[in-house]
Amino acid sequence: MSTVPKIPQMPTATDGTDVQGVLRRHYAVALKRFAKFAVVLLPLFLSAIVTKIDYLLPLSIAGFIGLLSVAFLLYGRISSARRCARVFRTYPLEFRAPVGKVHEQRPLTLYLRLGGEGGGARIMRAKRLSDGSGWPEGIENGIWFAGDELFGGAAVVPGSEVLLFMQPSEWKETDAERRNAGEERAGKAGRAGLKQYVVPRI
């Protein structure tokens, strides 16, 4: 019986945090935000049902639509974090520095180059999955990255602990490289959920 490997801890050389902790906080923030809106929207949804007063029906409809919208956003945040967790389980973490800022497509899409061994040439399209927008503070000093630049990966920005999911910005143009990457490399990307282009739900 196979067991799912544990997500590795982030090395303590930078700020002592770990990937599991970052993911737990990401889940917690998403759930708290859902609960915050649900406290307001659920009574609206139940108003006409409980009181059976017809003129409250528009409020019930508005509450129902609001709950669906918030639930959809919650699902997007949770599924995106789980996708990152899958990458972290498959690839080891490595510190990549510096990070070159190429372009910012607000509010949540960043184009960057990873420094370090073998990095710098490929532009990566990164989605910011944590709260906030724009460039995370201190990202230029390096990130903890797990993945394969040809297929993509996930990363955490030290200090701010912003979670990123990224893939090559020129996905179609690099398709031939992925086909010729070799069975072992492609298989690992498949286990991490990176063989296909992904649009994170956030």
Side-chain angles (χ1 to χ4, degrees):
M1 181 178 177
S2 61
T3 58
V4 178
K6 290 184 177 180
I7 299 172
Q9 284 194 335
M10 186 182 300
T12 57
T14 301
D15 62 356
T17 56
D18 63 275
V19 171
Q20 286 181 321
V22 171
L23 290 169
R24 281 195 299 269
R25 284 186 283 277
H26 185 84
Y27 294 138
V29 168
L31 290 170
K32 286 178 181 177
R33 180 162 295 180
F34 174 77
K36 177 182 176 181
F37 285 101
V39 166
V40 176
L41 295 170
L42 187 58
L44 289 179
F45 170 57
L46 295 175
S47 59
I49 298 174
V50 173
T51 63
K52 302 187 185 305
I53 299 175
D54 291 342
Y55 68 77
L56 292 178
L57 185 59
L59 287 179
S60 288
I61 294 173
F64 177 70
I65 294 173
L67 283 172
L68 282 181
S69 300
V70 174
F72 179 77
L73 291 174
L74 173 66
Y75 171 75
R77 279 180 168 258
I78 296 297
S79 64
S80 294
R82 292 183 67 182
R83 184 175 295 279
C84 287
R86 184 176 175 183
V87 175
F88 289 133
R89 286 195 297 266
T90 307
Y91 291 95
L93 284 164
E94 55 179 333
F95 190 70
R96 302 292 297 273
V99 172
K101 298 178 181 179
V102 177
H103 174 62
E104 177 184 350
Q105 183 179 323
R106 284 188 177 273
L108 301 171
T109 304
L110 309 171
Y111 292 84
L112 52 84
R113 284 190 175 95
L114 296 176
E117 186 177 353
R122 198 179 305 279
I123 297 177
M124 305 296 286
R125 180 178 185 268
K127 274 289 185 181
R128 177 173 177 151
L129 305 182
S130 303
D131 283 346
S133 61
W135 293 101
E137 183 179 356
I139 190 174
E140 65 277 4
N141 298 321
I143 58 177
W144 289 108
F145 174 77
D148 181 331
E149 282 189 57
L150 184 58
F151 293 91
V156 175
V157 182
S160 64
E161 296 188 338
V162 170
L163 189 63
L164 301 172
F165 179 84
M166 63 186 73
Q167 288 186 292
S169 63
E170 297 182 340
W171 182 263
K172 291 182 180 179
E173 292 80 355
T174 53
D175 186 57
E177 288 185 65
R178 281 186 292 278
R179 288 199 302 269
N180 297 321
E183 186 176 338
E184 182 178 350
R185 194 175 175 187
K188 196 170 186 179
R191 292 192 297 276
L194 296 172
K195 283 194 72 174
Q196 304 297 325
Y197 186 71
V198 176
V199 179
R201 301 182 181 93
I202 50 177

